Structures are given as structure tokens and as C-alpha cells.
Amino acid sequence: MNKLLHNNILFTLTLLGIATALAFLFFSFVSENTANIALLYIIAQILIARYTNGYLLGLFSSVFSVICINFFFTYPFFRLNFTLSGYPVTFIGMLIITLLTTATTSRLKKQTEILAKQEKQVQIARQESLRANLLRAVSHDLRTPLTSIIGTTSSLLSDGSILSV
């Protein structure tokens, strides 16, 4: 397993753990309104989508979040019960939010990479242009005196005996 994937998995698990701990804290103070707990998991999913690569961890976090909400924070507690009214809507909603966020952030990351490559190519083109201009300037500065030296030398060689000092 490469290091980037390992870091992404660790980041995902850490954020989901933090979201779960905050959800338990929130639930202990306001146990009758568990709808806001889903927002904690949605925030975690958005952060996971933003700071990890690929869709798999986003999908995992979505499914994990829905299962945690169902298992820990809806009656009957500590049991999975997907037959609750409105629960499929919550599951589908969280899944859609995760997919859209992951797709958007993945696209933005790819566009950022493309822009970085284009910027690097522009920088290389600028350096090449500067190098070519410097070479032309040096070449011109050397050719001008060389032309007069060659002309004078040529005159001396061909007509050196006629010319006076």
C-alpha cells in the first residue's frame, strides 16, 4: 500500500472518529433532535472529499456515516434499522452529497494539476525565449566588431603594400 493511500485512509478514519465523538457529545446534550448529527458527518464527508484522492473513501465515509447515525443515534439504539420513516432519504441524501463533493473536488484537483503543468510549460518557454534573445544579442555584439576586423584584415592582406601607415 503506498504512502498516499495510507495517509488518506488514516485521515478518513480520523475525521470519521472525530465526527462520531462530536455526535456522541451533541447527542448527550440534545438527544431529541438527531437530525443535526447528520450535519457533523456531512462536514466530515466534505473534508474527506476535499483532502483525499478518489471516490472510494468518500463512498466509504458516506456508508459509514449512515450506519453510525442509524446504529448509535436513532431508536432503537445500538441496532441497525433501515425501515425507519425518512431514513432512506437520509441515506440517499448523504450518498449524493458525498458523490457530488468528491466528484467536484476531484475535478478541481485535476484542473489544478493541469494548470500547474501549463504554468511550468509557460515558464520553460519564457526561459527558452530569454536564452534565445541573449544568444542573439551576444551574437550580434560579437559579429559587429568581427566584421570590421575581418574587413580591415582583408584589406591589409590584399592591398597591404599600397596602404600607408
Side-chain angles (χ1 to χ4, degrees):
M1 186 181 315
N2 66 22
K3 187 173 182 171
L4 180 63
L5 179 61
H6 182 349
N7 289 343
N8 286 339
I9 290 171
L10 185 63
F11 181 78
T12 300
L13 294 177
T14 301
L15 273 179
L16 290 174
I18 291 170
T20 303
L22 289 173
F24 271 113
L25 186 65
F26 184 79
F27 187 70
S28 66
F29 291 113
V30 187
S31 60
E32 54 281 337
N33 187 4
T34 59
N36 292 328
I37 290 174
L39 293 176
L40 293 171
Y41 284 103
I42 288 172
I43 290 169
Q45 290 175 4
I46 290 171
L47 292 172
I48 289 166
R50 169 63 180 94
Y51 294 108
T52 61
N53 297 324
Y55 297 98
L56 192 58
L57 292 173
L59 289 173
F60 168 76
S61 70
S62 179
V63 171
F64 179 84
S65 298
V66 169
I67 289 172
C68 280
I69 291 169
N70 185 293
F71 190 78
F72 294 121
F73 306 111
T74 57
Y75 186 80
F77 301 111
F78 301 105
R79 287 193 192 159
L80 290 177
N81 184 5
F82 291 105
T83 61
L84 298 170
S85 69
Y87 200 74
V89 174
T90 303
F91 177 75
I92 291 170
M94 290 182 78
L95 192 61
I96 289 172
I97 287 170
T98 301
L99 289 174
L100 288 175
T101 305
T102 304
T104 303
T105 55
S106 294
R107 188 175 309 123
L108 286 173
K109 288 175 191 174
K110 287 179 184 176
Q111 287 176 349
T112 302
E113 289 174 7
I114 290 169
L115 286 174
K117 287 178 185 177
Q118 288 176 345
E119 181 64 32
K120 186 176 180 180
Q121 289 174 344
V122 166
Q123 186 71 16
I124 290 170
R126 283 184 190 149
Q127 288 175 346
E128 184 62 31
S129 175
L130 284 172
R131 188 189 69 76
N133 287 339
L134 179 63
L135 186 60
R136 275 193 290 277
V138 168
S139 174
H140 178 268
D141 289 347
L142 288 176
R143 264 187 273 147
T144 302
L146 281 176
T147 302
S148 64
I149 292 170
I150 291 171
T152 305
T153 306
S154 184
S155 296
L156 283 173
L157 289 176
S158 64
D159 299 326
S161 59
I162 303 172
L163 295 174
S164 64
V165 181

